[in-house]
Amino acid sequence: MAKINGSDAMLKVLYDWGIDHIYGFPGGSFDSSMNAIYDFRDKMKFIEVRHEEAGSLAASAEYKLTGKLGVCFGSAGPGAAHLFNGLYDAKYDKTPMVAIVANVPTSRQDIDFFQAFDEDKWFLDASVWCASAKTADLIPVLTDEAIRQAYARKGPAVLIIPKDYGWQKIEDNFRVNKDAKPEANYPAPTKTSVDEAIKLINEAKNPVVYFGNGAKDASEELKEFSDKYKMPLLSSYLGKGVVEDAFPAYMGTIGRIGPKPANEVQSYADLVVWVGNNSPFSLLWFNKDTKVIQIDVDEAKFGKRHSVDVSMLADSKKSLRALIDAGEEKAETPLYKAALADRENWDAWHESFKDSDEMPVRPEPIFDVINKEADDDAIFAIDVGNVNVDHTRLLKMHDDQKWTTSGLHATMGYGAPAALTAATVYPDREVWNLAGDGGFAMMSQELLTMARYNMHILNVVFTNETLGYIQAEQEDESHQPLSGVIIPDNNWAKVAEGMNVKGVVVRTKKEFEDAVKEFKKMDGPMLIDIKYTHEMPYSTELNTLSDPAFVEKYQAEALKPFSYFAEKYGVEADAASGASEHEEESAEEVVETDTSSGASRH
């Protein structure tokens, strides 16, 4: 039987699974696998990133965008250590991926050798499956197992390969059986759970829907359910885009980064239809006595974030369809009318600034251009920071547009690597990397990768000279002097030009619009450095429109508190939640919720 190098056998397994590219950065301990990558140069594309963290974040982003796992690698020691952010991002966001990690030759292990570590101990916590090849013959077997475990456990799998095993000849007799992997087939809800849920829906005065990324395949059902039962739709941040932003009953995401209506409406709910959502910050929302119908395919999620009255261990799409078919259409409730009016007021307030000539430029003019110019199938790689606030409030997702970010791990620097992924797997689609200057600085070297492979990526850097998200926490939550958040201005266009990427500095809406149109006519990557407002986004945590200083700070004279709409439409204060028809939460009350965690409330 023919012989094959261990590392070639590894790549053969990846290729047979339909994986045609791999992200990484060479290292001496990975030479045997780099030789295999050369041998497979006509079958697999090697995306040579400039930092291993970029490779791991790119691999994590791949499943989020495509539903197919990505693969990255790192060499022994520092190359392996650089993978951790991407691995934890994948683990927290339940994203299948595979990381190949090199180790020093077996003859150099356990003797305090150069770059030698007990790597399996390192990666146990950062992965859902971790194994080190004990023989060269096991390399293809374990590669296949890593892929299967990543898919099955929905997270990162780590395979460690000693350098000498990668060179060793083994019999070429391993064949994958990927076609045996079944398609997901989650159950329908039981009739008992449907009947119990309909009873609660009929009794509720202020019902809402709270959905997450687990409802990503149920967009039409969510909208039909909302229309039939007159329930406002609220989501987690990762649920943005499941329902197009233009849908009138979609209030947006709850939480610090979300819009005002979503945060206000949730406090009035007496019933929540909780669909495919595991946001940890939902512990902070909805009164403890609010009734909950929870729909999920993971039994461990039930009751984790809130007490549950009806549990539906079932597919979100099938469950919503069953509930739609089982009940009678409801008339518009006062809460539903008030919620839609509140959103209209919020949207109109933002719209009033879209042609603002304030300097430095406000967010609304910039996102007005993005909303008008981005292709209907554009892909947005969203970094971490205040850009999440602007994205969720101002970017109007529609049609076949996709987006991705670092969700629960929330690692800054995610945008550029995710953009690399988008350009690799969707080479014919328009890719936008939206990042603050703080986050972009962390992975800015990946401009070199974009230039090297001539990727059509538009990098939009919002330069406001501060770590804005942290600044707002220090100002609004802990009320401390600004510490460590101010960063120097930088000409990112010049940086880009030095890395062979077209760079432009803009200060106005017109300049930004012209730059975007220039990008659309060119090949390859571009960077637009926007000299952006230093003002913080509207604080939905404080949301004290009764305070003249708050109104003046955010130019919020045209905004009305939800109590105005609640009174106008006769919303009943729910006895369970204790929501007031006339009072807005004070700044002190909001601050007391969580001043010590430092958590970014996505």
Side-chain angles (χ1 to χ4, degrees):
M1 180 170 288
K3 296 281 188 175
I4 188 173
N5 287 352
S7 286
D8 286 74
M10 171 189 70
L11 289 191
K12 187 174 181 180
V13 171
L14 295 178
Y15 183 75
D16 287 345
W17 268 92
I19 297 163
D20 62 3
H21 58 276
I22 185 169
Y23 308 94
F25 187 91
S29 56
F30 206 73
D31 283 346
S32 51
S33 293
M34 290 308 304
N35 186 74
I37 286 173
Y38 178 83
D39 290 342
F40 274 72
R41 63 192 181 279
D42 295 331
K43 296 180 179 180
M44 295 187 69
K45 188 174 183 179
F46 170 41
I47 309 298
E48 186 179 333
V49 294
R50 305 324 308 163
H51 194 292
E52 291 90 348
E53 180 178 338
S56 64
L57 288 170
S60 178
E62 185 145 337
Y63 183 87
K64 298 178 187 181
L65 289 171
T66 69
K68 180 179 175 181
L69 66 76
V71 180
C72 65
F73 68 80
S75 56
H82 287 161
L83 299 176
F84 275 99
N85 256 344
L87 290 169
Y88 275 109
D89 178 74
K91 186 174 183 181
Y92 281 32
D93 284 354
K94 295 193 174 301
T95 301
M97 65 171 281
V98 172
I100 310 297
V101 178
N103 203 348
V104 300
T106 52
S107 61
R108 297 292 184 265
Q109 294 177 16
D110 303 320
I111 57 171
D112 198 23
F113 193 68
F114 177 70
Q115 292 189 334
F117 296 89
D118 292 332
E119 292 175 342
D120 52 348
K121 295 177 182 177
W122 277 20
F123 289 103
L124 283 174
D125 184 68
S127 63
V128 296
W129 180 90
C130 178
S132 180
K134 300 299 190 295
T135 68
D137 292 300
L138 281 174
I139 290 176
V141 178
L142 291 175
T143 304
D144 183 71
E145 186 67 11
I147 295 170
R148 295 181 185 280
Q149 292 292 337
Y151 276 127
R153 302 190 188 187
K154 293 182 172 57
V158 175
L159 174 58
I160 302 167
I161 301 178
K163 178 179 179 178
D164 53 329
Y165 287 170
W167 285 117
Q168 190 171 321
K169 295 288 186 181
I170 63 174
E171 290 187 354
D172 185 14
N173 60 1
F174 185 82
R175 299 293 179 265
V176 305
N177 191 17
K178 69 179 180 65
D179 293 335
K181 180 179 178 293
E183 293 185 7
N185 185 26
Y186 297 115
T190 64
K191 184 179 185 304
T192 299
S193 67
V194 172
D195 291 343
E196 291 175 348
I198 290 297
K199 182 176 183 294
L200 291 184
I201 290 171
N202 289 335
E203 294 172 350
K205 294 179 179 179
N206 298 336
V208 303
V209 177
Y210 180 45
F211 67 89
N213 197 40
K216 63 181 180 295
D217 296 325
S219 175
E220 294 306 314
E221 287 76 14
L222 282 167
K223 291 185 288 185
E224 188 176 347
F225 185 87
S226 171
D227 281 338
K228 183 167 185 174
Y229 295 118
K230 305 304 183 290
M231 294 191 193
L233 296 175
L234 318 172
S235 78
S236 67
Y237 180 37
L238 295 183
K240 178 182 171 66
V242 172
V243 171
E244 64 271 20
D245 286 278
F247 187 69
Y250 178 51
M251 300 294 108
T253 70
I254 311 178
R256 175 182 164 189
I257 70 171
K260 170 179 170 285
N263 285 279
E264 291 176 320
V265 169
Q266 62 85 20
S267 69
Y268 282 76
D270 64 353
L271 172 68
V272 181
V273 181
W274 196 297
V275 189
N277 195 340
N278 187 40
S279 169
F281 299 107
S282 54
L283 291 167
L284 305 173
W285 308 315
F286 305 113
N287 183 270
K288 63 181 178 65
D289 295 323
T290 298
K291 295 184 182 299
V292 168
I293 301 165
Q294 186 169 2
I295 303 169
D296 210 292
V297 295
D298 185 353
E299 191 170 352
K301 299 297 188 298
F302 290 92
K304 184 175 182 178
R305 307 302 184 189
H306 196 284
S307 60
V308 175
D309 297 271
V310 176
S311 298
M312 305 181 79
L313 182 63
D315 175 76
S316 60
K317 188 179 185 76
K318 295 175 183 177
S319 297
L320 290 170
R321 173 52 55 197
L323 291 171
I324 292 168
D325 293 342
E328 298 296 325
E329 184 169 0
K330 296 186 70 172
E332 291 185 352
T333 65
L335 178 72
Y336 185 79
K337 294 176 183 178
L340 267 61
D342 193 29
R343 176 186 159 161
E344 288 175 3
N345 177 239
W346 174 257
D347 288 347
W349 178 67
H350 276 302
E351 185 76 6
S352 71
F353 296 109
K354 70 182 179 66
D355 292 317
S356 168
D357 57 3
E358 287 183 41
M359 298 289 287
V361 65
R362 289 179 61 100
E364 293 89 352
I366 297 302
F367 278 85
D368 184 54
V369 173
I370 297 174
N371 287 327
K372 290 175 179 176
E373 296 294 335
D375 287 351
D376 290 341
D377 64 350
I379 302 171
F380 297 94
I382 311 297
D383 215 298
V384 170
N386 269 356
V387 67
N388 300 115
V389 181
D390 291 340
H391 162 247
T392 192
R393 297 181 185 180
L394 298 173
L395 187 64
K396 305 305 180 184
M397 304 289 294
H398 60 86
D399 293 289
D400 294 324
Q401 291 178 341
K402 293 175 176 282
W403 73 279
T404 179
T405 195
S406 178
L408 292 185
H409 192 49
T411 184
M412 294 174 66
Y414 179 88
L420 297 180
T421 298
T424 298
V425 298
Y426 296 113
D428 297 325
R429 294 173 69 166
E430 188 176 88
V431 178
W432 297 65
N433 169 26
L434 306 184
D437 45 351
F440 185 77
M442 293 187 174
M443 285 283 120
S444 60
Q445 76 285 337
E446 296 311 317
L447 291 173
L448 291 166
T449 310
M450 299 176 193
R452 178 174 182 176
Y453 299 107
N454 200 39
M455 295 175 168
H456 195 51
I457 297 172
L458 180 55
N459 300 275
V460 180
V461 182
F462 302 96
T463 299
N464 65 350
E465 302 174 44
T466 182
L467 301 177
Y469 201 87
I470 308 304
Q471 176 180 331
E473 284 183 335
Q474 292 182 359
E475 289 178 336
D476 296 340
E477 293 186 19
S478 51
H479 300 286
Q480 67 188 80
L482 294 183
S483 178
V485 297
I486 304 304
I487 56 179
D489 185 19
N490 184 55
N491 189 323
W492 286 108
K494 283 188 176 181
V495 173
E497 293 285 350
M499 295 187 184
N500 301 310
V501 171
K502 171 71 175 178
V504 180
V505 174
V506 304
R507 291 179 171 82
T508 67
K509 178 180 182 178
K510 179 63 166 59
E511 290 176 350
F512 179 62
E513 186 175 27
D514 290 344
V516 170
K517 290 180 177 178
E518 181 181 0
F519 165 74
K520 285 177 167 285
K521 295 176 182 177
M522 60 178 275
D523 292 326
M526 182 178 184
L527 181 142
I528 303 176
D529 181 359
I530 303 175
K531 300 309 179 185
Y532 207 51
T533 180
H534 296 185
E535 299 299 322
M536 294 296 105
Y538 182 97
S539 173
T540 53
E541 284 189 301
L542 300 183
N543 196 28
T544 47
L545 288 172
S546 59
D547 180 0
F550 180 90
V551 172
E552 181 181 5
K553 177 179 179 179
Y554 295 109
Q555 301 179 44
E557 291 80 6
L559 281 179
K560 298 184 183 300
F562 187 77
S563 57
Y564 169 86
F565 300 106
E567 184 172 355
K568 178 178 179 179
Y569 291 102
V571 178
E572 293 185 29
D574 176 54
S577 72
S580 169
E581 297 180 16
H582 304 289
E583 295 179 4
E584 297 297 312
E585 202 168 25
S586 71
E588 289 77 17
E589 287 171 331
V590 175
V591 169
E592 288 174 1
T593 57
D594 185 7
T595 59
S596 60
S597 72
S600 298
R601 297 182 184 180
H602 288 191

